[in-house]
Amino acid sequence: MDEGRCRELKTRSADPAAVEMLGVADREGFATIWDRYEKQQPQCSYGQLGTCCRICSMGPCRIDPFGEGPDRGVCGATADTMVARNLARMAAVGSSSHSDHGRKVALLLKAVASGRNRDYRITDEDKLRAVAGRLAIPTEGRTADEIAVDVADAAIGCFGKQDEEPLVFAEKYMPKKRFELLKGLEEKLFEATGAKMGFLPRGIDREAVDILHRTHFGCDHDPLSLVAQSVRCSLSDGWGGSLIATEIQDILLGTPKIREVKANLGVLEEESVNVVVHGHEPVLSAKVVEMARLPEMQRAAEAAGARRVNVVGMCCTGNEVLLRQGVGMAGNEAHSELAVMTGAVDAMVVDVQCIYPALADLCSCYHTRFITTSEQAKIPGALHIQFDEHNADAIAMRIVRTAIEAFPNRNKARVFIPRHTATAMVGFTVEEILKALGGTPQPLIDLIVNGTIKGVAGIVGCNNVKVQQDRFHRGLTEELIRRDILVIGTGCWAVAAAKAGLMDQSAREKAGPGLQAVCGQLGIPPVLHMGSCVDCSRMLNLAGGIADHLGVDISALPLVGSAPEWTTEKAVAIGTYFVGSGIPVHLWPLPPILGGPEVTKILTQDARDVLGGWFFVEEDPAATADQMEKIIMERRAALGI
Ligand code: SF4
Ligand code: MSK
């Protein structure tokens, strides 16, 4: 590759493994997300600003916010209405994706506890009892199954209930002051506007359906009430669906423990059958890992000429099995095509969310079996092996066998695995953090009060082809730890940080003196992996626990969030429930709201007074860290510390 092209490829990713693979893509003539993105230029500026509407068949309508052309849609909808409706629909989709995931594991827990499913079991009884205790479900003298039925029923009840009361999970998990603030807000806004606007989520399904209804042609055109419902719906995700997913997965599959893993494409093994599990729901992938480790699968792999079956992770399914079963992490979202191009992936097994449909064509150019498993994520060109949790062992075994059968078809001459891996210490659940602190958040609070650590930043989200892959994730994280701000996070950010070595203990050297000393004492890195996208609920839980411990609202704490390479509607829901929980959130790239001046003002200014959380945008990692530090310092000053 000539030097010029090499430089060009480096602008696509900050990860050297990705750059090497992009060279392979060039050589082999494969298009990647970066090439397809270039072909999409120039992208529609109405779409970028959020001022296009195709809700009814009189449209599509669009409004130029710079005053060129009409200032209303055919029905009279303004730019702000369009922006708010589009945003609300994004929040509804994002919340629904997480929450539907939560529903499935709640139903599975019920099936396991009532003896209808024998493929799974209650793995973490302590967690079950802790969750039950939180929900005020009796535990004394009861069997695990009896308790689990009640926990499952409480969770399932959150989805479809029809009364006006808040979700039991939100009520029992949300810190007291935040719960009261959101409850009082309904009254305050009613006094101010004369209209009913609620924030506490009533039913998980209901809040999303409410958005679908109110954004139907000719319903809610008021930016404020549309934004308010977006917050309520997103809160039904953070303190509902995602929380349920996390808590019940811990009960069924085990609460993650701190452990060391390897991250990046170098986890693929030239001599082994490589199975990549990708997506979000670990119920299947945990089984794939389990089955791949059986002696009979080992024998089958050897018979096919391989050393072993090596299951590795991608995106959030990867995070889940990495945390619980210690599998290697092949990469984040933008790595998915690159992994296939190594020529060493025998099966790419996907469940739901964040899966490029382009993988089907790409896999067909290799021996790689691209296996879809969910009726909610079928992709033309894939081999569909329908997952059924009531027959999980057999299906997972079939998937592993399919990968083993593909191995002999691998073209060994075509295999190229970039030799990049980093060590990462992962599994920092709330339980593990508290254990490291001696059972109470007080030592962490003391460190924050005495200024050893200035505050905590939670970073989440994806890769986005509009940002050099991982550049913002790495740059922002390094800037923050250098300023003695502890960084926690989830999702594809966590994978980026792991690949960059920021979750290795040696990353302490990059931290400021205070954070460095604390990490040295506790034997932890300055950057903590808390899990997958649904595990953002672990961050809420940690923040809520500290707030309750101090008897303050979350918005008083020196906490701040960021989604610096966000892509998906789920990231919109996550950002919005952070804001609704009182945490300011940085976003990059620009969200599609800037064409609506009123919506922009509500989200970036008014939310600050009303919710204590708000959105801000910034393109540069160092400047973002400046803003995040400023917020933390203001909050410290307000607390008198
Ligand atoms: Fe146009 Fe109004 Fe229909 Fe939207 S709802 S497409 S703005 S006419
Ligand atoms: S996988 S939502 S690209 S973090 Fe959770 Fe990554 Fe974003 Fe998907």
Side-chain angles (χ1 to χ4, degrees), residues 221-273:
H221 297 84
D222 176 39
L224 179 62
S225 80
L226 283 159
V227 170
Q229 182 57 26
S230 306
V231 175
R232 186 182 228 176
C233 182
S234 300
L235 288 168
S236 81
D237 170 0
W239 296 97
S242 280
L243 178 62
I244 288 169
T246 296
E247 297 295 75
I248 296 185
Q249 281 172 183
D250 282 357
I251 293 169
L252 286 171
L253 306 173
T255 305
K257 302 268 181 282
I258 295 171
R259 60 166 85 227
E260 267 193 7
V261 295
K262 296 276 180 211
N264 217 336
L265 291 171
V267 298
L268 294 166
E269 294 171 355
E270 206 161 333
E271 305 301 326
S272 300
V273 175

Side-chain angles (χ1 to χ4, degrees), residues 569-598:
E569 289 155 316
K570 290 181 296 166
V572 171
I574 294 169
T576 309
Y577 69 62
F578 269 45
V579 165
S581 301
I583 301 169
V585 175
H586 158 261
L587 289 180
W588 192 260
L590 289 173
I593 61 163
L594 299 186
E598 198 180 332

Side-chain angles (χ1 to χ4, degrees), residues 53 55-56 58-59 61 73-75 77 82 85 217:
C53 180
I55 274 174
C56 85
M58 292 193 286
C61 302
V74 174
C75 67
M82 290 183 189
R85 279 200 299 220
F217 177 76

